[in-house]
Amino acid sequence: FEYASDGTISQFWGMVLGLAVITLFVSLGGMKSVISANVFQGIVLIFGSTALMVYFVYKFVGGFGAGFEMASPQFPDMLTFPGPGWDPPTPYWTSIVILSGLGGFMWPWAYNKLFAGDSLRSIKVSALLSPIIYAIFFSSFVFTAIFLHSQEQVLADVQGAFLYVAKESGPFALGMLGVIIMANSVGTVSGIMQAISTTVSRDIAQVLKSNI
């Protein structure tokens, strides 16, 4: 909101406005609104974000090949894993990866979506396709981030880096990125709110009043 309004709406009031919209959206629409938002979020994220990342790479560094040729001599540490300034022991890093993976299976909003699936086959198909689709998106995201190290303003404000790049690319790119960010916020936060409301209904409200 702050970038899209050129500072007219502050970060704080942007957060308040975003939360109000999502709360109203989930309260009126229920589970169907959450599922719809997540489908929309996924489509916008995968296709819109990937297209934007490719556009940024070609606009600012001249393509992926040129980007690697630039990054290799100038930012060699960015092409290593886990990255510059952090060299943890292998068991430590491995444990973080494993525990993060297991923790992902415990997200309450993921269970909510599982119960809303129309069939077991749908869940299996999504489990198969999701890692493939997100690998494509995540790769384009990481490569773009590495290549944009050539921009001084990006390094000065890493939190707002992509918004800065979008703003420099014109109003359409900035508007598109704003839609992508809001779609992801609505999709993610609405799922969390729906999971919390389900938990409160089943574990608190029905305990206090069984026929609710």
Side-chain angles (χ1 to χ4, degrees):
F1 281 108
E2 187 176 16
Y3 264 86
S5 65
D6 201 22
T8 302
I9 301 176
S10 68
Q11 188 180 53
F12 172 79
W13 287 110
M15 292 170 64
V16 171
L17 179 60
L19 184 60
V21 169
I22 295 171
T23 302
L24 187 65
F25 181 80
V26 177
S27 299
L28 295 177
M31 177 60 80
K32 187 175 181 179
S33 71
V34 174
I35 298 298
S36 301
N38 277 270
V39 171
F40 178 72
Q41 169 203 12
I43 293 172
V44 170
L45 175 69
I46 298 303
F47 295 103
S49 296
T50 303
L52 267 183
M53 298 305 115
V54 172
Y55 173 70
F56 291 157
V57 168
Y58 278 88
K59 177 178 176 61
F60 288 93
V61 298
F64 285 88
F68 280 113
E69 290 177 3
M70 176 272 299
S72 182
Q74 294 187 31
F75 314 105
D77 288 347
M78 293 304 301
L79 301 177
T80 62
F81 195 77
W86 195 42
D87 187 24
T90 301
Y92 175 76
W93 174 246
T94 304
S95 68
I96 289 180
V97 173
I98 294 173
L99 288 173
S100 297
L102 293 174
F105 288 107
M106 300 177 192
W107 289 342
W109 53 95
Y111 283 98
N112 252 25
K113 295 171 189 173
L114 288 175
F115 288 120
D118 62 347
S119 69
L120 183 60
R121 184 178 182 278
S122 297
I123 296 173
K124 289 180 177 180
V125 171
S126 66
L128 175 66
L129 293 179
S130 294
I132 299 173
I133 294 173
Y134 273 92
I136 297 172
F137 159 73
F138 189 70
S139 297
S140 65
F141 183 83
V142 170
F143 291 147
T144 304
I146 292 173
F147 301 155
L148 290 179
H149 268 67
S150 59
Q151 305 293 313
E152 291 185 7
Q153 183 63 31
V154 166
L155 298 179
D157 179 21
V158 293
Q159 294 292 334
F162 277 102
L163 284 163
Y164 164 76
V165 171
K167 189 175 182 181
E168 292 296 302
S169 301
F172 179 80
L174 180 59
M176 184 65 184
L177 187 61
V179 169
I180 290 169
I181 292 172
M182 193 60 193
N184 280 283
S185 299
V186 171
T188 302
V189 179
S190 65
I192 295 171
M193 289 180 64
Q194 182 70 49
I196 293 172
S197 67
T198 303
T199 304
V200 170
S201 299
R202 294 298 297 265
D203 297 346
I204 298 178
Q206 286 187 337
V207 172
L208 298 176
K209 188 177 180 182
S210 60
N211 64 343
I212 190 170

